[in-house]
Amino acid sequence: MEKVIRLHLLLTVKESAINVPQNIEARRRITFFANSLFMNIPKAPKVRDMLSFSVLTPYFKEDVLYSDEELKKENEEGISILFYLTKIYPDEWANFHERLKSEDLEEEKEELMRQWASYRGQTLYRTVRGMMYYWHALILQSFIESVGDNALFEDYRTMYSYGTNKELHEYAQAMADLKFTYVVSCQVYGSQKKSKNPRDRSCYNNILNLMLTNGALRVAYIDETEETKDGKSQKVYYSVLVKGRDKYDEEIYRIKLPGPPTEIGEGKPENQNHAIVFTRGEALQTIDMNQDNYYEEAFKMRNVLEEFRNRRSGRRKPTILGIREHIFTGSVSSLAWFMSIQETSFATIGQRILANPLRVRFHYDHPDIFDRIFHITRGGLSKASKVINLSEDIFAGFNSTLRQGFITHHEYIQVGKGRDMGMNQISLFEAKVANGNGEQSLSRDVYRLGRQFDFYRMLSFYFTTVGVYFSSMITMLTVYVFLYGRLYMALSGVEKEILQCPNIHHSKALEEALATQFVVQLGLLLVLPMVMEIGLVKGFRTALGDFIIMQLQLASVFFTFQFGTKTHYYGRTLLHGGSKYRSTGRGFVFFHAKFAENYRMYSRSHFVKGLEILLLLIVYEVYGESYRMSHHYLFITISLWFLATSWLFAPFWFNPSGFDWQKTVDDWTDWKHWMGNRGGIGISADKSWESWWDEENEHMKHSNIRGKILEIILAFRFFMYQYGIVYHMDITHHHKELQVFGLSWAVLIIILLVLKLVSLARRRFGTDFQLMFRILKALLFLGFFAVMTLLFVVCGLTISDLFAGIIAFMPSGWAIILIAQACKVCLKGAKLWDSVKELSRAYEYVMGLIIFLPTAILSWFPFVSEFQTRLLFNQAFSRGLQISMILAGKKDTYQSD
C-alpha cells in the first residue's frame, strides 16, 4: 500500500517552479536531505533513549568574528572582504537586507552584517552556529515527543511558545543538555583574556559572547600561572573549563597538568587531548575549526548514533563512524573549485570504497564520530609525539584498527567543510600532508598494520595511504632516470653507434607504444574518480561539462604542480626527516602574492627541478640522434615539457594579477631588495635572502649520515652535463682524452676563484674604497676580454662553445653547492662556507631572472592579465565577468553597469 500511495503522489502532485528556491545552495541542501531519507538509515529512538554525545573543536588564533575594519579594509585594487562576499553571494546579500527591513533590525545592522560575513567565511562563529544546531534539533525533537504530532500540527506557534508550554520547553532543554555537550578547546583563551593586544582582546570578547549566547557551549583552555613552592617561583599549567554566566565566564573545572602539553607534543592534537576529559557521553564527534553544519542534518544525529548499537553483517560494533563532507568553498575561485571537486570525490566515493569492501578506511580530518569510551581507554583520540605524529588524524584510525576496532562510513548525513582557496595556501597544505606521509612511512604503526593485515588488505592499505606518495616519488625518479639515460646515450655516442649499426633494426612499434603513454602521464586517468562522483550526483552530462571546463581553466597544470609539491616534501622527509606543521590560513585569497614570496616557497620544490628537466630536454634535443625529423619525439616528451613548464610558471598563472605590468615591476624591485639584504640575528626569512637560505637548509642539521650521503650521491648527477658536453665542444678538436675533462675542471675552478675574489673585494673595498673596487673590476674585465680573444683566435673557440660551456658548468656549480650544504657541519665557521653562500646567491639571481623573464614579457600584453583573471576567478563561466571586473580594479564600472 505504501508503494501504491507513493506512486499515486508521484503521478498526481505537480510542483510549481515558484516553490523551487532560486538559491543554488538551498536547492542542494533540500535535494540531499530528501534523497537521504530513502537511504538505509537506522530507526531513530526517542531523545531520552538515544546515546549521549559531545562535539570537540580545537581552536588556536583563527578568526572568530570579522571586525568592521577587516570587512571594509581594501587591498591594492580597492576590494574589501565585504564587497567580495556581496558579489559572490548576491542573492543572499539581497535577502539579508530584506530581512533587516521586514524585522526592523536597522539599528543592529553593523553587528548583523559582521555575523552575515562571518557565516560565509571559515570562522569559529560559523562552526559554533553549525554545531549548536544539534542542541536546537534535540530540543525540538524532545518537545515534539512530549506534545505529540497531532497537538503540534494543530497550532505549532502556540504550542512552541515559551509562555504557553514553559514546563515542556524546560524539560526539552534539560533533555538536550543531558544528551549533548559542545566543547571548544581554545588553547590561548587565558592569555587572550590577559592580553592588551587589540586582536587578542577582540577574540576573547567574541568567544565570551559565544558562550553567553549558547548555553550548551563550553570552552577549555590551558592556563599558565606562577606559584611559589619552597621559596622558589615556578610555572604551573592547568586545563580549565569555563561556561558563560551572566556577563562573564564562570570556571567549572580546573585540572593540574605535569607540564605545557602543546610544547611537549604537536600543538593541535595536544589542544584536543587536554580537553577530552571535559567531554561527556558515549560518542564524540571531532569537528575542525573550518567546518559547518546544517539544521536539517542535525535531526538525523539520533539515527547516526544508533550505528554504534548495530552489528552489520555480523561484524563488530563500529568504533569510528565516518560521515560525508560537503566542501562549501568551491564557488570562490577556480583553485577552490578544483580542491572542492578533489576533496568531494575523496570524502564520498573514495572513503565509501575504503570502508567497504577494502576495509582500510581510517580517520581523515574531522567530521568522524568516535566511540568515546573505546578510545579514551586506549590512548585517546590523537597521538601527539612531535614530528612523528604530524598527521595526527590518521594515527587515530591506525590506533583504532590495531586495537581490533571497526571503522565504517555512512553518507546519509553530511557536514560542511572549508578548504584552502589560494595557490600558496593549497601548497602549504599539500606540503604538510606529504611531510606527514613521510613520517607515517617511517612509523611503527604502519609497520605493525602491514604485519597484521592479510595479503589483499595489506595491498589495499599500501595503495590508499603511503603508497600514493611513494608511487608519486617513484614516478618522478623514473622521469629522471629516463631523461638522464637518454642524455648519457646522446653525449657518450652510444645512441649514434646503435643507430648506425646494421644489425639493429628501428622499432616503430616501440616508438608508438612510447608515444601513447603521454596520455597517462598527463594525469587524465586520475580524474576518473572525480568524473564518476559528479556523474552519480549530478548526472554524467554535467560531469562531462565540468571536466571540460576544468581543463579550460588549466586544472591539469594545477594538479601537475601539486604533484611536484607532494614528491618533494615526501622525499625530503624520507631522506632527512624534520617535518613540521605549516599554518595555511583560511582567509579569502583575492590579493596578489609577490614574486619574492613565490620564490621562497617554490624555489627548491619546483623551480630548481623544473629548470633541470627543461635543461635535460634542451640538451637531448641538441645532441640526440634518435628522433631527428620525427614526430614521435614530441609525443614521447610532451608530458615532460608540460611537467617542466607547469612547475615553473603555475604559481604566476594562478596568482591574482600575476600578469599586471605595474605589479610585475614592483615584484622585481621587491625581489632584488630581498636578495640584496643581509641576514642576521632577528631578521626573518621574508626580509632577507640569507636568512631564508639558512632556514631552507635547516633540515640538513638534523639529518643523519645516511641522508647526507644519499644527498651527495644524488648531487653527482649534475656532473654528467660537464663530462659529456665538454667533449662535444669545437675547442677540443674531437679529442677524447681524460685531460680534456681535467682541463674543464681547471676552468671551472678559475671561474669560482674569480667570483670569490670579486666577493671579497666587494666586502673589503665596496664601501670605503670604491675606486679600488672599480679598478679591480676593470682589470678583471680586461683580463677576461684578453683571455676570450686568445681562445677565439688561437684555440678555435666558437660561439656555440660559449653556450655549451654555460650549460656544462652551471649544473656543476650547483652540484658543488648541494654537496657543500650536505657537508655543512664540516664547513661551518670556515671562510669556505661564505664562498658557498655567495656562489649560491649568484645562482639564485640567475635562476630568478630566468623564471621571471617570461612573466615580464607576458605582462606587456594587457589582454593576458584580463584573460588570466577571468579564468582564475570563475567557477563555471557564469560569474567570470563580474568577479574578473572586481579583481581587475573596475569596481565603479561594475556598479554603474
mmCIF file of all heavy atoms in Angstrom, residues 152-187:
data_model
loop_
_atom_site.group_PDB
_atom_site.id
_atom_site.type_symbol
_atom_site.label_atom_id
_atom_site.label_comp_id
_atom_site.label_asym_id
_atom_site.label_seq_id
_atom_site.Cartn_x
_atom_site.Cartn_y
_atom_site.Cartn_z
ATOM 1 N N LEU A 152 0.874 19.239 17.932
ATOM 2 C CA LEU A 152 1.822 20.178 17.341
ATOM 3 C C LEU A 152 1.315 20.710 16.009
ATOM 4 O O LEU A 152 1.411 21.903 15.712
ATOM 5 C CB LEU A 152 3.173 19.485 17.152
ATOM 6 C CG LEU A 152 4.302 20.365 16.609
ATOM 7 C CD1 LEU A 152 4.659 21.424 17.640
ATOM 8 C CD2 LEU A 152 5.521 19.537 16.280
ATOM 9 N N PHE A 153 0.716 19.830 15.214
ATOM 10 C CA PHE A 153 0.247 20.265 13.908
ATOM 11 C C PHE A 153 -0.942 21.212 14.016
ATOM 12 O O PHE A 153 -1.196 22.001 13.121
ATOM 13 C CB PHE A 153 -0.137 19.046 13.054
ATOM 14 C CG PHE A 153 1.055 18.201 12.676
ATOM 15 C CD1 PHE A 153 0.911 16.842 12.431
ATOM 16 C CD2 PHE A 153 2.309 18.766 12.563
ATOM 17 C CE1 PHE A 153 2.005 16.066 12.081
ATOM 18 C CE2 PHE A 153 3.403 18.006 12.217
ATOM 19 C CZ PHE A 153 3.249 16.650 11.982
ATOM 20 N N GLU A 154 -1.703 21.111 15.106
ATOM 21 C CA GLU A 154 -2.879 21.961 15.223
ATOM 22 C C GLU A 154 -2.491 23.430 15.353
ATOM 23 O O GLU A 154 -3.049 24.289 14.702
ATOM 24 C CB GLU A 154 -3.700 21.530 16.448
ATOM 25 C CG GLU A 154 -4.413 20.205 16.246
ATOM 26 C CD GLU A 154 -5.127 19.775 17.513
ATOM 27 O OE1 GLU A 154 -5.080 20.528 18.515
ATOM 28 O OE2 GLU A 154 -5.708 18.684 17.514
ATOM 29 N N ASP A 155 -1.534 23.719 16.227
ATOM 30 C CA ASP A 155 -1.138 25.113 16.393
ATOM 31 C C ASP A 155 0.317 25.135 16.834
ATOM 32 O O ASP A 155 0.626 25.232 18.014
ATOM 33 C CB ASP A 155 -2.041 25.808 17.427
ATOM 34 C CG ASP A 155 -1.850 27.323 17.401
ATOM 35 O OD1 ASP A 155 -0.910 27.774 16.708
ATOM 36 O OD2 ASP A 155 -2.615 28.026 18.070
ATOM 37 N N TYR A 156 1.225 25.074 15.860
ATOM 38 C CA TYR A 156 2.644 24.920 16.169
ATOM 39 C C TYR A 156 3.183 26.125 16.937
ATOM 40 O O TYR A 156 3.843 25.987 17.953
ATOM 41 C CB TYR A 156 3.443 24.722 14.879
ATOM 42 C CG TYR A 156 4.923 24.805 15.068
ATOM 43 C CD1 TYR A 156 5.625 23.751 15.653
ATOM 44 C CD2 TYR A 156 5.642 25.943 14.698
ATOM 45 C CE1 TYR A 156 6.981 23.815 15.856
ATOM 46 C CE2 TYR A 156 7.003 26.021 14.898
ATOM 47 C CZ TYR A 156 7.668 24.954 15.469
ATOM 48 O OH TYR A 156 9.003 25.027 15.668
ATOM 49 N N ARG A 157 2.910 27.330 16.457
ATOM 50 C CA ARG A 157 3.486 28.522 17.078
ATOM 51 C C ARG A 157 3.011 28.681 18.517
ATOM 52 O O ARG A 157 3.780 29.068 19.395
ATOM 53 C CB ARG A 157 3.123 29.761 16.253
ATOM 54 C CG ARG A 157 3.731 29.745 14.856
ATOM 55 C CD ARG A 157 3.435 31.049 14.119
ATOM 56 N NE ARG A 157 4.014 31.031 12.782
ATOM 57 C CZ ARG A 157 5.280 31.337 12.512
ATOM 58 N NH1 ARG A 157 6.086 31.709 13.500
ATOM 59 N NH2 ARG A 157 5.739 31.299 11.290
ATOM 60 N N THR A 158 1.745 28.370 18.774
ATOM 61 C CA THR A 158 1.226 28.490 20.136
ATOM 62 C C THR A 158 1.839 27.432 21.036
ATOM 63 O O THR A 158 2.230 27.702 22.182
ATOM 64 C CB THR A 158 -0.302 28.353 20.137
ATOM 65 O OG1 THR A 158 -0.851 29.335 19.268
ATOM 66 C CG2 THR A 158 -0.853 28.541 21.534
ATOM 67 N N MET A 159 1.973 26.209 20.521
ATOM 68 C CA MET A 159 2.492 25.121 21.333
ATOM 69 C C MET A 159 3.963 25.337 21.682
ATOM 70 O O MET A 159 4.401 24.993 22.773
ATOM 71 C CB MET A 159 2.336 23.791 20.586
ATOM 72 C CG MET A 159 0.891 23.354 20.398
ATOM 73 S SD MET A 159 0.084 22.934 21.935
ATOM 74 C CE MET A 159 1.029 21.545 22.475
ATOM 75 N N TYR A 160 4.727 25.936 20.769
ATOM 76 C CA TYR A 160 6.166 26.065 20.976
ATOM 77 C C TYR A 160 6.553 27.377 21.650
ATOM 78 O O TYR A 160 7.697 27.614 21.935
ATOM 79 C CB TYR A 160 6.912 25.921 19.637
ATOM 80 C CG TYR A 160 8.385 25.675 19.791
ATOM 81 C CD1 TYR A 160 8.849 24.617 20.575
ATOM 82 C CD2 TYR A 160 9.324 26.488 19.165
ATOM 83 C CE1 TYR A 160 10.206 24.370 20.723
ATOM 84 C CE2 TYR A 160 10.682 26.248 19.304
ATOM 85 C CZ TYR A 160 11.116 25.190 20.085
ATOM 86 O OH TYR A 160 12.458 24.944 20.224
ATOM 87 N N SER A 161 5.591 28.230 21.865
ATOM 88 C CA SER A 161 5.901 29.494 22.525
ATOM 89 C C SER A 161 6.295 29.234 23.973
ATOM 90 O O SER A 161 5.802 28.326 24.622
ATOM 91 C CB SER A 161 4.686 30.439 22.462
ATOM 92 O OG SER A 161 3.604 29.879 23.181
ATOM 93 N N TYR A 162 7.184 30.057 24.481
ATOM 94 C CA TYR A 162 7.779 29.818 25.798
ATOM 95 C C TYR A 162 6.747 29.956 26.911
ATOM 96 O O TYR A 162 6.739 29.191 27.867
ATOM 97 C CB TYR A 162 8.938 30.802 26.011
ATOM 98 C CG TYR A 162 9.706 30.552 27.281
ATOM 99 C CD1 TYR A 162 10.669 29.548 27.346
ATOM 100 C CD2 TYR A 162 9.466 31.307 28.419
ATOM 101 C CE1 TYR A 162 11.377 29.316 28.518
ATOM 102 C CE2 TYR A 162 10.174 31.082 29.599
ATOM 103 C CZ TYR A 162 11.127 30.096 29.645
ATOM 104 O OH TYR A 162 11.830 29.870 30.806
ATOM 105 N N GLY A 163 5.866 30.923 26.791
ATOM 106 C CA GLY A 163 4.921 31.163 27.875
ATOM 107 C C GLY A 163 3.866 30.081 28.003
ATOM 108 O O GLY A 163 3.462 29.711 29.113
ATOM 109 N N THR A 164 3.387 29.545 26.910
ATOM 110 C CA THR A 164 2.284 28.580 26.935
ATOM 111 C C THR A 164 2.731 27.238 27.485
ATOM 112 O O THR A 164 2.028 26.601 28.264
ATOM 113 C CB THR A 164 1.714 28.412 25.509
ATOM 114 O OG1 THR A 164 1.396 29.697 24.997
ATOM 115 C CG2 THR A 164 0.470 27.539 25.547
ATOM 116 N N ASN A 165 3.890 26.760 27.083
ATOM 117 C CA ASN A 165 4.366 25.439 27.496
ATOM 118 C C ASN A 165 5.744 25.565 28.136
ATOM 119 O O ASN A 165 6.730 24.989 27.677
ATOM 120 C CB ASN A 165 4.434 24.498 26.280
ATOM 121 C CG ASN A 165 3.066 24.220 25.695
ATOM 122 O OD1 ASN A 165 2.338 23.374 26.182
ATOM 123 N ND2 ASN A 165 2.731 24.955 24.644
ATOM 124 N N LYS A 166 5.787 26.336 29.209
ATOM 125 C CA LYS A 166 7.062 26.597 29.856
ATOM 126 C C LYS A 166 7.683 25.314 30.403
ATOM 127 O O LYS A 166 8.880 25.064 30.239
ATOM 128 C CB LYS A 166 6.873 27.611 30.980
ATOM 129 C CG LYS A 166 8.162 27.979 31.693
ATOM 130 C CD LYS A 166 7.904 29.030 32.761
ATOM 131 C CE LYS A 166 9.202 29.384 33.484
ATOM 132 N NZ LYS A 166 8.972 30.403 34.541
ATOM 133 N N GLU A 167 6.878 24.474 31.024
ATOM 134 C CA GLU A 167 7.409 23.249 31.611
ATOM 135 C C GLU A 167 7.920 22.290 30.540
ATOM 136 O O GLU A 167 8.985 21.684 30.684
ATOM 137 C CB GLU A 167 6.330 22.580 32.454
ATOM 138 C CG GLU A 167 5.934 23.381 33.686
ATOM 139 C CD GLU A 167 4.911 22.644 34.521
ATOM 140 O OE1 GLU A 167 4.528 21.518 34.112
ATOM 141 O OE2 GLU A 167 4.502 23.167 35.568
ATOM 142 N N LEU A 168 7.153 22.150 29.442
ATOM 143 C CA LEU A 168 7.580 21.260 28.363
ATOM 144 C C LEU A 168 8.860 21.773 27.714
ATOM 145 O O LEU A 168 9.758 21.001 27.364
ATOM 146 C CB LEU A 168 6.470 21.131 27.322
ATOM 147 C CG LEU A 168 5.222 20.349 27.761
ATOM 148 C CD1 LEU A 168 4.180 20.365 26.644
ATOM 149 C CD2 LEU A 168 5.583 18.914 28.116
ATOM 150 N N HIS A 169 8.931 23.073 27.564
ATOM 151 C CA HIS A 169 10.127 23.642 26.947
ATOM 152 C C HIS A 169 11.341 23.446 27.844
ATOM 153 O O HIS A 169 12.431 23.090 27.355
ATOM 154 C CB HIS A 169 9.903 25.134 26.678
ATOM 155 C CG HIS A 169 11.045 25.792 25.985
ATOM 156 N ND1 HIS A 169 11.205 25.777 24.620
ATOM 157 C CD2 HIS A 169 12.112 26.480 26.479
ATOM 158 C CE1 HIS A 169 12.308 26.426 24.302
ATOM 159 N NE2 HIS A 169 12.869 26.877 25.418
ATOM 160 N N GLU A 170 11.191 23.651 29.130
ATOM 161 C CA GLU A 170 12.306 23.445 30.060
ATOM 162 C C GLU A 170 12.716 21.976 30.100
ATOM 163 O O GLU A 170 13.908 21.659 30.199
ATOM 164 C CB GLU A 170 11.909 23.933 31.451
ATOM 165 C CG GLU A 170 11.785 25.447 31.557
ATOM 166 C CD GLU A 170 11.363 25.887 32.950
ATOM 167 O OE1 GLU A 170 10.966 24.995 33.751
ATOM 168 O OE2 GLU A 170 11.405 27.088 33.235
ATOM 169 N N TYR A 171 11.741 21.072 30.034
ATOM 170 C CA TYR A 171 12.058 19.650 30.007
ATOM 171 C C TYR A 171 12.835 19.299 28.738
ATOM 172 O O TYR A 171 13.838 18.553 28.794
ATOM 173 C CB TYR A 171 10.766 18.835 30.075
ATOM 174 C CG TYR A 171 10.970 17.359 29.818
ATOM 175 C CD1 TYR A 171 11.460 16.512 30.816
ATOM 176 C CD2 TYR A 171 10.681 16.807 28.567
ATOM 177 C CE1 TYR A 171 11.663 15.167 30.568
ATOM 178 C CE2 TYR A 171 10.877 15.464 28.318
ATOM 179 C CZ TYR A 171 11.371 14.641 29.327
ATOM 180 O OH TYR A 171 11.574 13.309 29.071
ATOM 181 N N ALA A 172 12.397 19.833 27.597
ATOM 182 C CA ALA A 172 13.092 19.547 26.336
ATOM 183 C C ALA A 172 14.515 20.101 26.366
ATOM 184 O O ALA A 172 15.462 19.438 25.912
ATOM 185 C CB ALA A 172 12.308 20.149 25.167
ATOM 186 N N GLN A 173 14.680 21.284 26.931
ATOM 187 C CA GLN A 173 16.020 21.866 27.005
ATOM 188 C C GLN A 173 16.911 21.075 27.955
ATOM 189 O O GLN A 173 18.093 20.851 27.669
ATOM 190 C CB GLN A 173 15.926 23.325 27.449
ATOM 191 C CG GLN A 173 17.268 24.048 27.458
ATOM 192 C CD GLN A 173 17.118 25.535 27.674
ATOM 193 O OE1 GLN A 173 16.107 26.124 27.313
ATOM 194 N NE2 GLN A 173 18.130 26.149 28.285
ATOM 195 N N ALA A 174 16.358 20.624 29.077
ATOM 196 C CA ALA A 174 17.133 19.809 30.011
ATOM 197 C C ALA A 174 17.545 18.484 29.374
ATOM 198 O O ALA A 174 18.663 17.996 29.583
ATOM 199 C CB ALA A 174 16.320 19.570 31.282
ATOM 200 N N MET A 175 16.629 17.893 28.599
ATOM 201 C CA MET A 175 16.955 16.638 27.922
ATOM 202 C C MET A 175 18.070 16.849 26.894
ATOM 203 O O MET A 175 18.986 16.020 26.765
ATOM 204 C CB MET A 175 15.705 16.084 27.241
ATOM 205 C CG MET A 175 15.882 14.687 26.653
ATOM 206 S SD MET A 175 16.340 13.436 27.885
ATOM 207 C CE MET A 175 14.891 13.469 28.933
ATOM 208 N N ALA A 176 18.018 17.972 26.171
ATOM 209 C CA ALA A 176 19.070 18.270 25.205
ATOM 210 C C ALA A 176 20.409 18.487 25.901
ATOM 211 O O ALA A 176 21.464 18.067 25.402
ATOM 212 C CB ALA A 176 18.686 19.501 24.382
ATOM 213 N N ASP A 177 20.384 19.145 27.063
ATOM 214 C CA ASP A 177 21.621 19.354 27.812
ATOM 215 C C ASP A 177 22.212 18.036 28.299
ATOM 216 O O ASP A 177 23.439 17.893 28.388
ATOM 217 C CB ASP A 177 21.356 20.270 29.009
ATOM 218 C CG ASP A 177 21.096 21.710 28.588
ATOM 219 O OD1 ASP A 177 21.566 22.088 27.490
ATOM 220 O OD2 ASP A 177 20.418 22.444 29.329
ATOM 221 N N LEU A 178 21.356 17.062 28.627
ATOM 222 C CA LEU A 178 21.842 15.764 29.061
ATOM 223 C C LEU A 178 22.486 14.979 27.926
ATOM 224 O O LEU A 178 23.431 14.217 28.129
ATOM 225 C CB LEU A 178 20.694 14.949 29.667
ATOM 226 C CG LEU A 178 20.218 15.342 31.065
ATOM 227 C CD1 LEU A 178 18.982 14.538 31.432
ATOM 228 C CD2 LEU A 178 21.328 15.098 32.093
ATOM 229 N N LYS A 179 21.973 15.153 26.739
ATOM 230 C CA LYS A 179 22.408 14.341 25.600
ATOM 231 C C LYS A 179 23.508 14.995 24.758
ATOM 232 O O LYS A 179 24.140 14.317 23.949
ATOM 233 C CB LYS A 179 21.205 14.041 24.691
ATOM 234 C CG LYS A 179 20.120 13.210 25.369
ATOM 235 C CD LYS A 179 20.644 11.844 25.775
ATOM 236 C CE LYS A 179 19.557 10.994 26.431
ATOM 237 N NZ LYS A 179 20.079 9.674 26.841
ATOM 238 N N PHE A 180 23.733 16.303 24.934
ATOM 239 C CA PHE A 180 24.665 16.987 24.031
ATOM 240 C C PHE A 180 25.524 17.967 24.817
ATOM 241 O O PHE A 180 25.031 18.699 25.693
ATOM 242 C CB PHE A 180 23.892 17.726 22.945
ATOM 243 C CG PHE A 180 24.751 18.647 22.108
ATOM 244 C CD1 PHE A 180 25.601 18.129 21.147
ATOM 245 C CD2 PHE A 180 24.718 20.027 22.291
ATOM 246 C CE1 PHE A 180 26.403 18.963 20.386
ATOM 247 C CE2 PHE A 180 25.503 20.862 21.534
ATOM 248 C CZ PHE A 180 26.352 20.336 20.571
ATOM 249 N N THR A 181 26.820 17.987 24.512
ATOM 250 C CA THR A 181 27.767 18.943 25.061
ATOM 251 C C THR A 181 28.719 19.370 23.946
ATOM 252 O O THR A 181 29.186 18.519 23.180
ATOM 253 C CB THR A 181 28.592 18.348 26.216
ATOM 254 O OG1 THR A 181 27.716 17.870 27.216
ATOM 255 C CG2 THR A 181 29.519 19.393 26.822
ATOM 256 N N TYR A 182 28.988 20.657 23.886
ATOM 257 C CA TYR A 182 29.909 21.173 22.871
ATOM 258 C C TYR A 182 31.076 21.846 23.590
ATOM 259 O O TYR A 182 30.882 22.792 24.361
ATOM 260 C CB TYR A 182 29.194 22.164 21.956
ATOM 261 C CG TYR A 182 30.048 22.664 20.804
ATOM 262 C CD1 TYR A 182 31.081 21.888 20.285
ATOM 263 C CD2 TYR A 182 29.814 23.909 20.216
ATOM 264 C CE1 TYR A 182 31.849 22.334 19.232
ATOM 265 C CE2 TYR A 182 30.576 24.355 19.154
ATOM 266 C CZ TYR A 182 31.601 23.565 18.669
ATOM 267 O OH TYR A 182 32.377 24.003 17.623
ATOM 268 N N VAL A 183 32.293 21.336 23.357
ATOM 269 C CA VAL A 183 33.498 21.878 23.974
ATOM 270 C C VAL A 183 34.405 22.420 22.873
ATOM 271 O O VAL A 183 34.773 21.686 21.949
ATOM 272 C CB VAL A 183 34.253 20.807 24.795
ATOM 273 C CG1 VAL A 183 35.531 21.391 25.381
ATOM 274 C CG2 VAL A 183 33.365 20.253 25.892
ATOM 275 N N VAL A 184 34.738 23.692 22.975
ATOM 276 C CA VAL A 184 35.716 24.304 22.082
ATOM 277 C C VAL A 184 37.011 24.472 22.856
ATOM 278 O O VAL A 184 37.043 25.172 23.876
ATOM 279 C CB VAL A 184 35.224 25.667 21.551
ATOM 280 C CG1 VAL A 184 36.284 26.298 20.656
ATOM 281 C CG2 VAL A 184 33.933 25.504 20.773
ATOM 282 N N SER A 185 38.065 23.820 22.413
ATOM 283 C CA SER A 185 39.347 23.868 23.118
ATOM 284 C C SER A 185 40.149 25.057 22.605
ATOM 285 O O SER A 185 40.928 24.954 21.656
ATOM 286 C CB SER A 185 40.119 22.565 22.901
ATOM 287 O OG SER A 185 41.315 22.573 23.636
ATOM 288 N N CYS A 186 39.927 26.212 23.227
ATOM 289 C CA CYS A 186 40.622 27.447 22.854
ATOM 290 C C CYS A 186 41.937 27.515 23.622
ATOM 291 O O CYS A 186 41.978 28.008 24.756
ATOM 292 C CB CYS A 186 39.758 28.664 23.157
ATOM 293 S SG CYS A 186 38.186 28.679 22.281
ATOM 294 N N GLN A 187 42.977 27.025 23.032
ATOM 295 C CA GLN A 187 44.260 26.834 23.698
ATOM 296 C C GLN A 187 44.756 28.106 24.382
ATOM 297 O O GLN A 187 45.264 28.053 25.506
ATOM 298 C CB GLN A 187 45.272 26.358 22.655
ATOM 299 C CG GLN A 187 46.696 26.245 23.132
ATOM 300 C CD GLN A 187 47.615 25.842 22.007
ATOM 301 O OE1 GLN A 187 47.202 25.207 21.042
ATOM 302 N NE2 GLN A 187 48.871 26.220 22.101
#
